[in-house]
Amino acid sequence: MSIEITSIEEVGLPNYMETIIGTETYERDSPLLAKLKILVKSEPQIDDLIFEIREQGDGSPSIDEYYEDQVFDEVQKLLSQNLNKKQKGRLSNELIGFFQMEAFKFWLGEKSIFPIKYNENI
């Protein structure tokens, strides 16, 4: 599996959180600290990944997907159909964690040297 982060950048997206419950959509202001786009080079190729960093109630930052399940859905495209459900779950969590960690480090101001290669043995 070949996966590389080719760049990470802050992007301007609306400053609200959407929660869809059934057919209801609610919009509310939320303490948004940053929105980050990760460009990935992979086989198969996937769309850009969008993360948000928000301030939690205790003031600490938290990172998550900006669009509900967007990162999860893109990561699923990278997983081999030959994997069983447990293997897919483990690898999916590892990949999402890798992307989150690199986005968070970028937001903290750590120097990144691109491309950043995914190592399955993280």
Side-chain angles (χ1 to χ4, degrees), residues 102-115:
E102 293 302 330
F104 199 71
K105 288 188 324 190
F106 175 86
W107 179 73
L108 289 172
E110 290 187 24
K111 275 273 195 218
S112 298
I113 300 173
F114 297 103

Side-chain angles (χ1 to χ4, degrees), residues 79 83-94:
L79 303 178
L83 298 175
N84 65 39
K85 189 174 182 175
K86 185 176 180 179
Q87 291 169 321
K88 280 186 180 182
R90 181 189 60 78
L91 187 53
S92 176
N93 289 337
E94 280 184 23

Side-chain angles (χ1 to χ4, degrees), residues 17-122:
M17 183 184 301
E18 258 188 19
T19 304
I20 300 171
I21 302 172
T23 58
E24 299 293 321
T25 300
Y26 302 90
E27 294 180 6
R28 63 181 173 90
D29 285 334
S30 188
L32 183 65
L33 302 173
K35 294 164 280 199
L36 303 169
K37 176 171 69 172
I38 296 181
L39 282 69
V40 177
K41 180 180 174 186
S42 61
E43 193 58 47
Q45 186 59 48
I46 61 171
D47 290 338
D48 299 341
L49 307 177
I50 309 293
F51 287 97
E52 63 184 12
I53 298 177
R54 294 189 178 270
E55 185 177 323
Q56 300 182 91
D58 65 1
S60 64
S62 173
I63 188 166
D64 201 359
E65 298 174 79
Y66 180 74
Y67 298 110
E68 188 72 25
D69 291 333
Q70 185 262 344
V71 173
F72 176 82
D73 291 344
E74 291 304 311
V75 165
Q76 296 308 299
K77 294 175 185 176
L78 296 172
L79 303 178
S80 169
Q81 299 305 313
N82 298 330
L83 298 175
N84 65 39
K85 189 174 182 175
K86 185 176 180 179
Q87 291 169 321
K88 280 186 180 182
R90 181 189 60 78
L91 187 53
S92 176
N93 289 337
E94 280 184 23
L95 284 168
I96 291 171
F98 165 71
F99 293 128
Q100 285 179 325
M101 177 183 66
E102 293 302 330
F104 199 71
K105 288 188 324 190
F106 175 86
W107 179 73
L108 289 172
E110 290 187 24
K111 275 273 195 218
S112 298
I113 300 173
F114 297 103
I116 302 169
K117 294 185 180 193
Y118 170 71
N119 178 350
E120 276 187 83
N121 300 318
I122 293 176

